[in-house]
Amino acid sequence: MFSKSGPAVPELVDKCIGSRIHIVMKNDKEIVGTLLGFDDFVNMVLEDVTEFEITPEGRRITKLDQILLNGNNITMLIPGGEGPEV
Amino acid sequence: MKIMSLRKQTPSDFLKQIIGRPVVVKLNSGVDYRGVLACLDGYMNIAVEQTEEYVNGQLKNKYGDAFLRGNNVLYISTQKRKM
Protein backbone atom coordinates (compact mmCIF):
# COMPACT_ATOMS: atom_id res chain seq x y z
CA MET A 1 0.00 0.00 0.00
CA PHE A 2 1.18 3.52 -0.65
CA SER A 3 1.50 5.85 2.29
CA LYS A 4 0.71 9.51 1.80
CA SER A 5 2.91 10.81 -0.99
CA GLY A 6 4.77 14.11 -1.14
CA PRO A 7 4.34 16.86 -3.74
CA ALA A 8 3.57 15.67 -7.26
CA VAL A 9 6.06 16.18 -10.06
CA PRO A 10 4.20 19.11 -11.67
CA GLU A 11 4.17 20.87 -8.35
CA LEU A 12 7.92 20.47 -8.06
CA VAL A 13 8.49 21.73 -11.58
CA ASP A 14 6.24 24.67 -10.86
CA LYS A 15 8.60 25.74 -8.09
CA CYS A 16 11.36 26.13 -10.66
CA ILE A 17 9.52 28.72 -12.72
CA GLY A 18 11.64 31.84 -12.90
CA SER A 19 14.85 30.00 -12.00
CA ARG A 20 17.62 28.41 -13.98
CA ILE A 21 17.08 24.78 -14.79
CA HIS A 22 19.30 22.16 -16.36
CA ILE A 23 17.55 19.60 -18.54
CA VAL A 24 19.13 16.33 -19.61
CA MET A 25 17.69 14.85 -22.79
CA LYS A 26 17.72 11.28 -24.04
CA ASN A 27 20.40 11.65 -26.67
CA ASP A 28 23.62 13.18 -25.25
CA LYS A 29 22.11 16.61 -25.25
CA GLU A 30 21.57 19.03 -22.37
CA ILE A 31 19.77 22.33 -22.15
CA VAL A 32 20.19 25.08 -19.55
CA GLY A 33 17.77 27.98 -19.37
CA THR A 34 15.35 29.98 -17.27
CA LEU A 35 12.03 28.20 -16.91
CA LEU A 36 9.08 30.31 -18.03
CA GLY A 37 6.40 27.64 -17.99
CA PHE A 38 5.37 24.13 -18.88
CA ASP A 39 2.31 22.02 -19.49
CA ASP A 40 0.90 18.68 -18.35
CA PHE A 41 3.18 16.86 -20.78
CA VAL A 42 6.21 18.74 -19.44
CA ASN A 43 6.81 20.52 -22.69
CA MET A 44 8.82 23.48 -21.44
CA VAL A 45 9.17 27.12 -22.37
CA LEU A 46 12.65 28.43 -21.55
CA GLU A 47 14.63 31.58 -22.21
CA ASP A 48 18.31 32.56 -22.37
CA VAL A 49 18.99 29.02 -23.38
CA THR A 50 22.32 27.28 -23.85
CA GLU A 51 22.30 24.00 -25.67
CA PHE A 52 25.09 21.47 -25.02
CA GLU A 53 25.93 18.51 -27.18
CA ILE A 54 27.91 16.05 -25.12
CA THR A 55 30.82 15.02 -27.28
CA PRO A 56 34.49 14.42 -26.40
CA GLU A 57 35.03 18.12 -27.22
CA GLY A 58 31.93 19.24 -25.31
CA ARG A 59 30.28 21.32 -28.03
CA ARG A 60 28.10 24.20 -26.91
CA ILE A 61 25.52 26.27 -28.77
CA THR A 62 24.17 29.38 -27.09
CA LYS A 63 20.75 30.65 -28.14
CA LEU A 64 18.95 33.75 -27.04
CA ASP A 65 15.25 34.44 -26.72
CA GLN A 66 12.73 31.75 -26.00
CA ILE A 67 12.34 28.12 -26.87
CA LEU A 68 9.61 25.54 -26.59
CA LEU A 69 11.27 22.25 -25.73
CA ASN A 70 9.39 19.09 -26.63
CA GLY A 71 8.88 17.05 -23.46
CA ASN A 72 9.12 13.77 -25.37
CA ASN A 73 12.90 13.61 -25.11
CA ILE A 74 13.41 14.87 -21.59
CA THR A 75 15.14 12.46 -19.23
CA MET A 76 15.98 14.52 -16.17
CA LEU A 77 15.39 17.97 -14.71
CA ILE A 78 17.93 19.61 -12.39
CA PRO A 79 16.68 22.80 -10.75
CA GLY A 80 19.29 25.52 -10.43
CA GLY A 81 21.79 23.46 -12.41
CA GLU A 82 24.44 25.12 -14.55
CA GLY A 83 24.89 22.35 -17.05
CA PRO A 84 27.85 20.17 -17.89
CA GLU A 85 31.32 21.50 -17.28
CA VAL A 86 32.88 22.52 -20.55
CA MET B 1 1.92 14.87 -28.70
CA LYS B 2 -1.30 16.75 -28.12
CA ILE B 3 -1.35 19.61 -25.67
CA MET B 4 -4.85 19.41 -24.27
CA SER B 5 -5.33 20.77 -20.78
CA LEU B 6 -2.64 23.12 -19.55
CA ARG B 7 -1.40 23.69 -16.08
CA LYS B 8 0.35 26.87 -17.16
CA GLN B 9 -0.79 28.54 -20.36
CA THR B 10 2.77 29.17 -21.35
CA PRO B 11 3.46 26.60 -24.08
CA SER B 12 0.27 27.43 -25.96
CA ASP B 13 0.81 31.17 -25.33
CA PHE B 14 4.30 30.80 -26.74
CA LEU B 15 2.97 29.06 -29.84
CA LYS B 16 0.46 31.84 -30.49
CA GLN B 17 3.10 34.53 -30.04
CA ILE B 18 5.68 33.19 -32.45
CA ILE B 19 3.62 32.84 -35.61
CA GLY B 20 5.12 35.02 -38.34
CA ARG B 21 8.48 35.26 -36.59
CA PRO B 22 11.80 33.83 -37.71
CA VAL B 23 12.42 30.59 -35.87
CA VAL B 24 14.92 27.79 -35.54
CA VAL B 25 13.40 24.33 -35.41
CA LYS B 26 15.65 21.51 -34.34
CA LEU B 27 14.63 17.94 -34.99
CA ASN B 28 15.52 14.85 -32.99
CA SER B 29 17.94 13.95 -35.76
CA GLY B 30 19.93 17.12 -35.07
CA VAL B 31 19.01 18.77 -38.36
CA ASP B 32 18.17 22.44 -38.02
CA TYR B 33 15.61 24.45 -39.98
CA ARG B 34 15.53 28.23 -40.04
CA GLY B 35 12.74 30.22 -41.55
CA VAL B 36 9.59 32.19 -40.90
CA LEU B 37 6.94 30.31 -38.97
CA ALA B 38 3.80 30.16 -41.09
CA CYS B 39 1.71 28.02 -38.77
CA LEU B 40 1.79 25.20 -36.29
CA ASP B 41 -0.51 23.08 -34.15
CA GLY B 42 -0.66 21.42 -30.77
CA TYR B 43 1.22 18.42 -32.09
CA MET B 44 4.16 20.68 -32.97
CA ASN B 45 3.50 20.07 -36.66
CA ILE B 46 5.03 23.14 -38.31
CA ALA B 47 4.85 24.99 -41.61
CA VAL B 48 7.87 27.22 -42.32
CA GLU B 49 8.55 29.64 -45.18
CA GLN B 50 11.91 30.61 -46.71
CA THR B 51 13.43 27.62 -44.98
CA GLU B 52 17.11 26.85 -44.74
CA GLU B 53 18.20 23.39 -43.72
CA TYR B 54 21.40 23.07 -41.69
CA VAL B 55 23.11 19.76 -41.14
CA ASN B 56 26.06 19.85 -38.71
CA GLY B 57 25.94 23.61 -38.84
CA GLN B 58 26.30 23.67 -42.62
CA LEU B 59 23.65 24.97 -44.97
CA LYS B 60 22.48 22.07 -47.07
CA ASN B 61 19.20 23.08 -48.72
CA LYS B 62 16.72 25.87 -49.14
CA TYR B 63 12.98 25.37 -49.45
CA GLY B 64 10.28 27.88 -50.23
CA ASP B 65 7.84 26.09 -47.96
CA ALA B 66 8.49 23.22 -45.58
CA PHE B 67 6.20 21.10 -43.45
CA LEU B 68 7.73 19.40 -40.44
CA ARG B 69 5.91 16.62 -38.65
CA GLY B 70 5.65 17.31 -34.95
CA ASN B 71 6.83 13.96 -33.66
CA ASN B 72 10.32 14.79 -34.97
CA VAL B 73 10.60 18.18 -33.31
CA LEU B 74 13.06 18.61 -30.46
CA TYR B 75 12.54 22.32 -29.99
CA ILE B 76 11.24 25.51 -31.57
CA SER B 77 13.22 28.66 -30.85
CA THR B 78 12.71 32.28 -31.76
CA GLN B 79 15.74 33.84 -33.38
CA LYS B 80 15.78 37.51 -32.69
CA ARG B 81 16.92 39.02 -29.44
CA LYS B 82 14.11 39.48 -26.96
CA MET B 83 13.16 43.11 -26.30
Side-chain angles (χ1 to χ4, degrees):
Chain A
M1 288 295 122
F2 294 106
S3 52
K4 185 171 198 289
S5 42
V9 170
E11 217 179 298
L12 294 173
V13 181
D14 193 87
K15 291 186 182 184
C16 301
I17 291 180
S19 318
R20 294 299 275 175
I21 189 166
H22 170 198
I23 299 163
V24 180
M25 317 288 288
K26 284 184 197 169
N27 48 353
D28 295 329
K29 203 184 277 290
E30 300 179 23
I31 304 265
V32 178
T34 303
L35 181 60
L36 297 183
F38 66 103
D39 62 15
D40 280 346
F41 300 91
V42 201
N43 296 312
M44 307 182 84
V45 183
L46 303 157
E47 70 178 351
D48 294 335
V49 173
T50 305
E51 174 185 354
F52 295 86
E53 290 187 45
I54 305 306
T55 65
E57 318 110 40
R59 192 158 82 113
R60 173 209 321 245
I61 308 160
T62 305
K63 318 163 57 53
L64 302 167
D65 218 351
Q66 300 184 354
I67 82 166
L68 172 60
L69 182 66
N70 192 333
N72 244 334
N73 301 298
I74 294 177
T75 297
M76 181 164 69
L77 303 177
I78 305 164
E82 289 306 314
E85 296 183 18
V86 173
Chain B
M1 168 70 55
K2 196 172 189 176
I3 302 174
M4 292 188 294
S5 61
L6 303 177
R7 185 170 303 275
K8 297 280 179 259
Q9 289 295 313
T10 324
S12 80
D13 289 343
F14 178 79
L15 295 177
K16 286 174 196 160
Q17 282 166 23
I18 62 172
I19 290 185
R21 290 208 203 158
V23 291
V24 179
V25 182
K26 187 154 215 167
L27 302 190
N28 294 330
S29 60
V31 179
D32 214 292
Y33 292 88
R34 294 172 193 241
V36 177
L37 187 61
C39 56
L40 56 86
D41 65 14
Y43 295 96
M44 293 201 205
N45 295 321
I46 298 167
V48 196
E49 291 168 349
Q50 300 150 41
T51 312
E52 294 173 332
E53 177 181 79
Y54 290 83
V55 180
N56 295 327
Q58 293 208 326
L59 178 60
K60 287 284 177 180
N61 266 309
K62 293 189 186 187
Y63 306 106
D65 282 303
F67 170 77
L68 303 172
R69 199 175 190 282
N71 66 302
N72 300 298
V73 173
L74 178 65
Y75 64 66
I76 305 167
S77 172
T78 50
Q79 279 196 67
K80 63 179 173 35
R81 186 177 279 277
K82 199 173 79 144
M83 287 186 286

